[in-house]
Amino acid sequence: MQNQVIEDVVESIARGLERGLSLEDPDGVLLAYSSHQTSADRVRVNFLLSKKVPADVSEWQLRHGIGQAVRPVAVPANEELGMLGRVCVPLLVRGFRVGYLWVQQQSNEDPAEGILAALPAVRPAIDRLAELLLETDTASSERRTQREATFLAACHGVATAVEELRGWRELAGNGPWRVAVVHELPEAAPSGDADPNEAALLQRTLALQATVGVAPVLFSAGAAEFSVLLCHAEVGRNALHQVLDRYRAEVAKRAGRLAGRSVLGLSEPAADPRALAGALLQAQHTVQAVAVDPQLGVPCSYADIGVYQFLGAVGWQAPALGSIHFAELSEADRLGELLPVLELLYDKNGSVQDVATQLHLHRSSVYNRLTRIRSIIGVDPLAGMVRLELHLALKADRWRSRPRFERA
């Protein structure tokens, strides 16, 4: 259905310009072409037959700057290639390149200036075409797929990928960077027969759609369980909230269901591409911490996850008998009335009023539960080492239920 709409828009633009058009993706693959053509040179005929721009033609076009162009570019004729002059219209949505629209000159006597002068009249249709391309399978284009694979490989420490990243325009002069991970917490346990390739494509599409036009986000990629973003070190919370809002909206649109709780974790700055592997781990650990401890908030930075930094660094599984006092409390707290009060009291710096307000309890109820805790473990839970032990045990217990995707 979407392809037919694209073809219809191409035909309408061709009628408006009274010239033959062809539409290609950023990799030079034919997407659509108009039936309107008073003449067709050898390059156009071969392109329509092969569906792919030949290397020599692509080199001629790139030589005239189409790869970096943001406005229409006149590409002169090339007699050796059998190519008439044509105008390249880069198709961009909020700065993201989704393809090229080519307008062929009818003869050597048909000046490019005439085409350039006529383009403003069909600009609304051209913009509509760009939006349609963004809505299709831009994330699955060959070039995009290869670049995302390179980026993810660099984030996993592959030396050749790290070196290739150094030449990327997105990284040139923009360091240091932060890595962000976006993860949607599933409502239920994922089924074992889920296709990881389909899941990765969904994440790649969500990341791309959620970040187009968000200037502090330099690049995005998708793995099976999360999206990875490369950001300016100074990326602000407003930009990250915008990404999350758009990510959730895209889940509903792409997956056909309501979005679950989405979390975003941000690494500390990385000054060199070699440090991206560590930054990815930091972002993953931040997402895991926020997933199990919602009070950390979203978006959240690695520096703000507290003791979860240590739990993530050691990959601690939190053995059941790690703390005697915690084991005693867990056994006694069958109704779940004591541990939540104690954890929140630790998190709120001992403020009984804050705990009572958040849990909708009377202050006396909080004091009564503290008395019960004291009687169970035989010591004051707010005293020095006991407080440290229990607070760490509470967080370690949460950490055990974190999403597991360190090897994703």
Side-chain angles (χ1 to χ4, degrees), residues 211-250:
T211 58
V212 167
V214 182
V217 180
L218 304 172
F219 192 74
S220 68
E225 295 181 88
F226 53 81
S227 299
V228 185
L229 316 180
L230 180 69
C231 308
H232 280 293
E234 302 302 320
V235 61
R237 294 181 65 84
N238 287 342
L240 296 176
H241 276 298
Q242 181 183 1
V243 168
L244 274 173
D245 289 343
R246 288 166 57 176
Y247 182 92
R248 296 184 189 103
E250 289 297 326

Side-chain angles (χ1 to χ4, degrees), residues 82-284:
M83 176 179 171
L84 290 170
R86 60 231 310 123
V87 170
C88 172
V89 182
L91 300 176
L92 299 100
V93 180
R94 299 184 291 279
F96 183 77
R97 193 176 305 272
V98 295
Y100 300 98
L101 182 68
W102 290 91
V103 187
Q104 182 183 304
Q105 294 165 233
Q106 296 176 355
S107 68
N108 290 328
E109 285 70 43
D110 180 19
E113 290 75 13
I115 298 174
L116 294 171
L119 286 175
V122 293
R123 173 51 64 181
I126 292 174
D127 292 342
R128 167 66 174 151
L129 182 60
E131 291 283 355
L132 287 170
L133 287 182
L134 186 66
E135 291 292 318
T136 55
D137 62 347
T138 304
S140 63
S141 70
E142 180 182 353
R143 178 174 178 270
R144 179 78 189 184
T145 301
Q146 291 175 346
R147 298 190 84 221
E148 289 195 27
T150 298
F151 173 65
L152 290 177
C155 287
H156 285 91
V158 178
T160 53
V162 169
E163 291 308 308
E164 184 175 338
L165 233 61
R166 294 186 188 279
W168 279 23
R169 175 177 54 83
E170 289 88 348
L171 275 73
N174 287 326
W177 313 275
R178 294 180 190 260
V179 172
V181 166
V182 185
H183 174 62
E184 182 193 9
L185 299 174
E187 296 289 340
S191 60
D193 58 353
D195 186 335
N197 293 322
E198 288 185 6
L201 179 57
L202 175 62
Q203 289 297 327
R204 292 169 52 210
T205 303
L206 295 175
L208 177 59
Q209 298 287 339
T211 58
V212 167
V214 182
V217 180
L218 304 172
F219 192 74
S220 68
E225 295 181 88
F226 53 81
S227 299
V228 185
L229 316 180
L230 180 69
C231 308
H232 280 293
E234 302 302 320
V235 61
R237 294 181 65 84
N238 287 342
L240 296 176
H241 276 298
Q242 181 183 1
V243 168
L244 274 173
D245 289 343
R246 288 166 57 176
Y247 182 92
R248 296 184 189 103
E250 289 297 326
V251 168
K253 184 188 301 182
R254 307 286 170 174
R257 56 174 172 77
L258 293 177
R261 179 177 165 235
S262 300
V263 294
L264 186 151
L266 191 66
S267 77
E268 292 301 290
D272 187 274
R274 288 174 297 181
L276 291 178
L280 175 61
L281 277 177
Q282 289 182 352
Q284 287 179 326

